[in-house]
Amino acid sequence: MSNVVQFKPQAELSTVKNLASFIAMAKDQIRLWSTYDGFDWDSNVWPTHHNKIRFYNLKGKNVHPSKKLSEELTLSSPFIEFAKAYIRYKQSIKQTRVYSRTITGLVLIENALITIDEVADITKATQRHFDMACELLVNNKYKDRTGIGAALETIAKDLGKWHISAAGLKYWKHPFTKADAHDVRKKSTDRLTKLPEDDALLALAELFANGYISEQDDEDIYVTCQTCLLLSAPQRINESRWFRTDLLREEQDTLGNSQLYISYWAAKNASYVRKEVPKTMATHTKEAVERIKKITEESRKLAKYYESGSTKFYRHKNCPDVRDDQVLTPIEVAQALGLENRKCAEDFIRKETGSYKLTGWTLDSLWNQIVLPKHERNLPHFPYQISPEDCASGRPPKMSESLMCFRHRQLAFTENTSPVLLSAFNRDYYSKRIEDRKVIRADKKYTMSIFTKHGYNRLHLRSHQMRHFLNTMAQEAGVGIEEITQWSTRASQLQSRTYMHQDPQRKANEIADKQIQRNENTLEPVTEDEYNVMEKGPVITTMYGICTHDYTFTPCEKHADCLNCSELLICKGHKRTTAAIQREYAQLTENLLAAKSEIDAGRQVANRWYISHKKKHERLTPLLKILADPSIEDGSPIQLIGEDFSHHKRIVDKKIHENILIDETPTGLKYSDEVLECLALLRKEDNV
């Protein structure tokens, strides 16, 4: 990329002078695209890093790219000079592939200026002109209203910032939103349109399975294997261009289990990613990669040969076995180029030279005059499939390293694969073969659908549906939103939520199951007499142990103050119980010291709290000593005999000795079978 030139307008100059300075700077100082063949500032068509730019007006927007733009179909002067300067300047700051929105915005502004003022003078642009541009956007049925509206908003902001217009345009906002009901590009929020059809996935799965038992052509192998890879981890179809032949990694996860990963450079996020492949897909993912490697092996060999810079013809398996300088027969010319017959060879030579002549050619002349020039036109960024300048800090794989390395017409069902020409991978390789769409060619309807090819009529998919599908499946499997966001290489969790389309009824059932314990059987009510004769036992456990209170008599008399209750049964050696008591003891000690500090400071109101904390502290201190005593066997029951709040307990306490702490079962004290069973469960519990 050429050096970035920052335009610095001078506020004190007039808008006309600022515009002239801006155009001169973009024309003479910025060198972007100037090295491209056919670039001319005065031309109405510019070659760029992506597609050609055509400076058409509103009348010329539907003219086919192959046709030349007449003067009446191009932007008017002097507006066209501003349009060229604006596009070149903005792209010199950051090259993008969505500049068509900006071009459309400029076309609409020009038409609005002419409609209102009869001349397209950008220095006279006001908010009124931009409002009319939005009306033209709607009236001409442009689909991308929010995108073009944002481009208009950026143009208005730049005009105000650079003082090319004095109408306060930098505060203008376009009226379109993503929620606009009139936005014809707005997609349905129905979950069924976001997820792939089951029948389409099953059809492709059946075709993939056929690859184990029968021969398949390259088209079937690529489409089914690409689908398998898209279902192995959330991806974007264009990211396949970054796949190397060694993209799979198999390592041990944190649990020691084998985990398969797909590893590649994600250009959109400018980072190297490693995505987990679900265990159910791992075997199929490996098979898909091996199949694609097999059909692209010859392509990588050809790419390696081009990288060598050889001027000799590539000797493929069907190449005529003759000297490089020997004159070829017409049939040998067809064989060398990998064409089916003489007529195909004549058509190919005519497109390249303008003549049908097949005589006088040698392998040397075919390679240097036909094959190499065509190769350079087809792959301007070779040895890469895409321009390294568009890849931020990452470096795309060379074609000789790429998994998705194909030869010209390799995936065409009705044509022979070229043995000497490569083809840059693009999303249409996959997208057009899973669409249910027919085009007319030579008065015949033609479809590239793999479903139609194999008799699965009226089925279709979109590559991005697999990304939605995996996110939804992960959500239903209980994977957290943070993990799904990382798995999908997204910038925020908010974006991930738009990719999750769980069935509302299923989601409602899951919520209901968590709130209510569902029981399919209708239970008969229990009478009071039946309940009284039932065997009773401890039905409650707490963080401190087992509650032995008989709830058929009274509810809890301690208000869940378990450590001050004599009906608490503690299992010696149970780590979670010991940890809970230690936490309680630490907090109690802290509060006791704080209360004593208040008393020492003369605030006697804290005396009541001090007495309460001290009693409990004195009660828990010997308990912790018992829990830490190694001479007492783990699993022994420990019960605290203490002061209870009930009236009958107070009466009993007057007749017995002071509270004592018992560290083992006293002679004659027996526990019910239920208590012993609960103790056994605590002993067996995973004590971590």
Side-chain angles (χ1 to χ4, degrees), residues 193-213:
T193 65
K194 302 289 187 179
L195 300 178
E197 295 181 15
D198 290 344
D199 290 343
L201 289 180
L202 290 173
L204 290 174
E206 184 175 359
L207 293 177
F208 184 82
N210 290 342
Y212 287 103
I213 58 176

Side-chain angles (χ1 to χ4, degrees), residues 19 96 176 203 326 357 442 515 544 555 561 565 572 576 611 622:
L19 175 61
T96 67
F176 307 111
Q326 180 177 323
K357 185 179 179 182
Q515 299 294 328
Y544 305 112
D561 186 12
C565 182
K572 167 72 167 61
R576 281 191 290 245
I611 295 173

Side-chain angles (χ1 to χ4, degrees), residues 131-359:
D131 290 339
M132 173 165 277
C134 291
E135 293 179 15
L136 293 169
L137 174 60
V138 175
N139 295 338
N140 285 272
K141 299 181 179 180
Y142 281 96
K143 294 181 179 180
D144 187 12
R145 295 184 184 178
T146 53
I148 299 172
L152 284 168
E153 193 171 299
T154 301
I155 295 171
K157 182 179 179 180
D158 289 339
L159 289 174
K161 182 172 63 176
W162 299 336
H163 303 288
I164 292 176
S165 171
L169 285 175
K170 62 181 179 181
Y171 303 109
W172 180 84
K173 301 292 182 183
H174 73 84
F176 307 111
T177 64
K178 291 184 178 180
D180 188 354
H182 300 290
D183 191 343
V184 296
R185 194 183 184 220
K186 181 175 179 286
K187 298 178 181 178
S188 171
T189 57
D190 184 0
R191 64 181 294 274
L192 296 180
T193 65
K194 302 289 187 179
L195 300 178
E197 295 181 15
D198 290 344
D199 290 343
L201 289 180
L202 290 173
L204 290 174
E206 184 175 359
L207 293 177
F208 184 82
N210 290 342
Y212 287 103
I213 58 176
S214 62
E215 289 289 330
Q216 293 181 313
D217 60 35
D218 291 357
E219 181 182 38
D220 291 350
I221 292 174
Y222 164 69
V223 174
T224 55
C225 293
Q226 177 75 80
T227 304
C228 181
L229 291 176
L230 290 172
L231 290 172
S232 299
Q235 307 157 33
R236 304 170 182 90
I237 185 63
N238 275 336
E239 291 177 345
S240 298
R241 297 180 298 183
W242 293 82
F243 288 175
R244 299 177 184 270
T245 54
D246 59 347
L247 79 159
L248 296 184
R249 305 279 192 276
E250 193 161 6
E251 301 175 8
Q252 299 293 319
D253 62 15
T254 55
L255 299 178
N257 300 321
S258 178
Q259 175 63 57
L260 186 68
Y261 298 91
I262 292 180
S263 304
Y264 62 94
W265 177 268
K268 186 170 183 178
N269 300 81
S271 62
Y272 182 81
V273 298
R274 191 181 68 162
K275 299 187 177 184
E276 300 88 344
V277 176
K279 188 175 181 180
T280 54
M281 288 296 298
T283 302
H284 306 304
T285 303
K286 293 178 183 177
E287 176 67 19
V289 171
E290 288 302 316
R291 291 185 189 181
I292 295 179
K293 283 171 65 175
K294 184 177 180 180
I295 66 173
T296 56
E297 184 62 34
E298 183 60 31
S299 303
R300 281 187 291 276
K301 290 180 181 179
L302 177 59
K304 198 73 175 177
Y305 187 80
Y306 274 115
E307 289 177 18
S308 70
S310 176
T311 58
K312 297 298 182 182
F313 199 91
Y314 178 67
R315 297 286 184 154
H316 54 86
K317 64 179 181 178
N318 294 324
C319 182
D321 187 14
V322 298
R323 299 191 316 274
D324 290 312
D325 58 353
Q326 180 177 323
V327 176
L328 303 174
T329 66
I331 296 300
E332 288 176 333
V333 171
Q335 291 175 346
L337 296 174
L339 300 172
E340 187 174 359
N341 50 46
R342 176 171 179 163
K343 184 179 184 309
C344 293
E346 288 176 344
D347 291 339
F348 182 83
I349 293 296
R350 184 191 64 81
K351 289 180 181 178
E352 301 304 315
T353 66
S355 171
Y356 287 99
K357 185 179 179 182
L358 293 182
T359 58

